[in-house]
Structure formats: structure tokens, C-alpha cells
Amino acid sequence: MPQKSAKTVETAAEKGVQRCIAADCGASYPLTERIYLCPRCGGTLEIDCHLAASSRNPAELRKTWAARAGSREAIDVSGVWRYREVLPFDEPIPFVTLFEGNTPLYQAARSASYCGLDNLRLKHQGCNPTGSFKDTGMSAAVTQAVALGSQTIICASTGNTAASLAAYAARAGVQAGILLPHGQITPAKLAQSMDYGAAVCEIDGNFDDCMRLVQELGADPSIYVANSINPFRIEGQKTVAYEMMEQCNWETPDHVVVPGGNLGNATALGKGFEELLTLGLIKRLPSLSVIQAEGAAPLAHLFAQLIPAQFAGEAPLPRTMAPVENPRTLATAIKIGAPVSWKKGLRSVMRSGGRIIAVSEQEIADAKAMIGRDGVGCEPASATTVAGIKKLVASGHIGPEESVVAVLTGHVLKDPDYVSHYHRGTLAFDSGAKAGASQQPIAGAFANVPERVAATKSAILASFERRR
Ligand code: F0G
């Protein structure tokens, strides 16, 4: 159980400020203010942990973090709180943890050759306690909610944020209020939220409707919003960049590639990498690219329209983004038409020289099966990365010999129906081209169908032989 203390809230203000990212505003607010958008201009907020002015020695930080990896103290075991020097909380931190982070970085030979790369690494964030990358950020957001004394923590979700909030709120003994688009969440994700005791509201609408409602509800003083517009979520999630670089022996990969939904993940990783550079822990930024599903790709559309002056940082970035009215994809986790963190996500990609592109349903499905052949299971949204890397290699943005890390965001068991349909050849996608019609089948190019085999040794051996 976390300890509540007024002192924690008071002293937290010294560890940084919340700052508006709008170039013509830049207003700053104490960490103790329960705000999600800039009260002055409505702009997006981020936390400035005063790391630029920090006199921390990079070698000392590396040593401290490496030593904690061998500790049994809960605050050190957590892959978020281990990096507490760069987080906006003063000790004693009333941290809420399920021992998030510490996720594996796998070499993936088959996926690499599928993409046309010499090698590819997969950072599997689906190995977090609730099976998705949301847990690192949620640990920080729920800790802040507890420090502020909130009664109910809410989120809109396509399923994973919900499961994560439900679990962390349960740990903290606080109510989780969850808004889900009715009928659009995988049964596994919904079951998690139910099991962790959250107040689940199935809303008649899509994710973007739920997000709008969350922003309205957030005005109530008893409520704390845990979506990625909350800058404390981003703080917890940025530690993934620290952990990844530690696993890479502080040698920056050429490219890091993430799926894009609400754009919280791109924002968090981008912030983490920029801080690592500021602190002298790495020598250059990786190029950060974001991959969206074709039917839910508002930022990829916007990116395709950017002019060369914007790439060179000589012209301001766009102020608006046209939403996708009816987002469509079988990767339900990223079925989002109006991502709330698009400005911060776009800024991170632009600063790093990355790309934002879209991939088709067929490309996602085949990439997912290929990742599976490396012995690594992920949910469909995660596979946009490998599908996107294949395209970026083909277009020359990624060189075959460059080092690439794909961030997998969710576990394969988050959506087993999808997997089963793919392999049995029954996966189909409602293209939405004509109302009520056009189910487009998705071919299982790497389908692996179970065989019905007689209960004899010889029949089983023959079956193995056929499929060797
Ligand atoms: N991958 C998975 C498995 C996700 O659940 C999400 C987002 C994303 C990628 C996209 O990440 O939003 O940071 O760009 N899921 C949210 C949710 C929207 O409610 O679980 P993002």
C-alpha cells in the first residue's frame, strides 16, 4: 500500500514543473496542480524535470542503476522507480508498483530477414505485469493520483490502458473508472478490467467518443485522468528509453520503431531519448518512427503532407490534424481517429529524423505471424512495427545493415481470436467501403493449421514428417 503524505506533495514541486509545449505560451505550473492541458492556452503539457541544469555524472547514474538491478527493495526492483533520479517525485515516494518494466530485448533473426535487415531486436513491452506497455506509465500516474488524494482514476481505452489502470488502482486501493467503446474491446482485455474490480462503463460510441467524455469528467475535482494526456503517465513510460539504452550498453540504435495510436508511446520514448542525450548518457538520438494501421492513420496522412522546410525545422509544425471519422482496423488497440497526444508525438518524430507511415491489414497480419516464428508472441497492434520496418527498408529510409529496435506493445494472449482466425484462414476485415457489405478476407500467408491426427504413433510421426 502506498503511504499518503502531504509532505510528498509539497516537495514534489521542487523536482520539476508542468510546462505548456505551445511555442507561443510555455507557461509553467507546479507538479501538484491537477491539470492535463494548459489552463492559459489549452495547449499540451509536459513535465520538465530540470535535467538540463542537472550536474549529475553519467557514469555515476549508470553505476547506481546497474547496482539497483541486483537489489531486492521494491523501489529498485521496479523498472520504473529504479530510475527515480529522472522522475518528478521526491522521496519518500508513495510509489504504486506491480514490478513493471524489466522487459526483454530479443534478437529476432527471422523477422530481421523478413524485413531485409541484417539484424533486428524486439523490445517486448507485452512482458509487463498486465501484458502491455501501459504499466510503466500507469505506475507513475497512479502514484501521482494517490499523492493528490484522488478518489477515482479514470481512462478511455481500447482495452490495455483500462486493464493496466484497473490493476494499479486495485493495488493502491482507489476506484478505477473505465470508459470502453462497447463491443470493440477484445474479450481478454475486458476480462482483465473486470477481474481487477474496476467500474467498467461500456459506451455506445468509439474510442474518440470515450476520450471526449474523459476530458469532460476530468473537470470534477474527485477525479484523476490517467490517459496519456496526463504528463505523469509519460514520465513513467519514458523510463523504457532508459532501460532500452542500458540493455544496448548505452549504444544508440539507428532506429527505434513504435506503433501509433494515441501517440503517448512515441511521446514518452522521444522524451526519454532526448533526456538521455541531455544527461550525456547517450551520444546521439535514435531516429524514432511511428507506424499506424491504414484505416486509423490520421498522423501518417498529416506527415505525408509536410513540406521540406518543416523537415528541416525551418517552418512551424501544423497546428491542426484532420481526424479519421470512422477508424477501422483489426488491430483494435490502435483503432483511434483523433489521437490526443499527436502534437507531442509528431514533435518527437521530427526532432529525431524519423518517419510516420501506415501499413495494411494484410501487412500487419503477416508481420505478426513472422514475429511468432521467432518465438515471440505479440498482439496485432505491436506487429505494425515489423510491417512498417519492412516498408521503410524497401523505401531506403532504413539501411539493411543499420541497427533497429521494434517496440512490441502487447502480449499475444491479449487477442487470441485474431491469431486463430489468421492461421485457420478465416480472418476478415470490414473495409467499410459499402455499408453492411465487403468483408475483405486476409490471407494467412504464414498460416499454420492444426491437423486432426489418428491416435497412433505412426500417424503422428507421418504428420510431423509432412510439416517438417
Ligand atoms: N499498442 C497497443 C497494444 C496499445 O494498446 C496501444 C494503445 C498502442 C499500441 C498505441 O500506443 O496510444 O501510445 O500511441 N492503446 C490505448 C489503450 C489507446 O487504451 O489501451 P499509443
Side-chain angles (χ1 to χ4, degrees), residues 132-134 156-162 189 207 227-228 237 259-266 333-334 336 379 381-382 409-410:
S132 88
F133 73 114
K134 303 290 181 181
S157 181
T158 55
N160 281 328
T161 304
K189 293 178 188 176
F207 171 83
N227 279 103
S228 57
Q237 218 167 304
N262 233 355
L263 274 307
N265 202 18
I334 51 173
I336 295 174
E379 68 167 287
S382 306
T409 44

Side-chain angles (χ1 to χ4, degrees), residues 373-388:
R373 294 290 171 92
D374 270 313
V376 180
C378 67
E379 68 167 287
S382 306
T384 56
T385 53
V386 167

Side-chain angles (χ1 to χ4, degrees), residues 10 49 141 170 184 191 200 235 295 301-302 337 339 341 363 367 390 453:
E10 255 166 51
C49 296
Q184 298 181 41
V200 178
E235 290 303 297
H301 298 157
L302 180 69
S341 297
E363 287 166 332
K390 186 173 165 59
V453 181

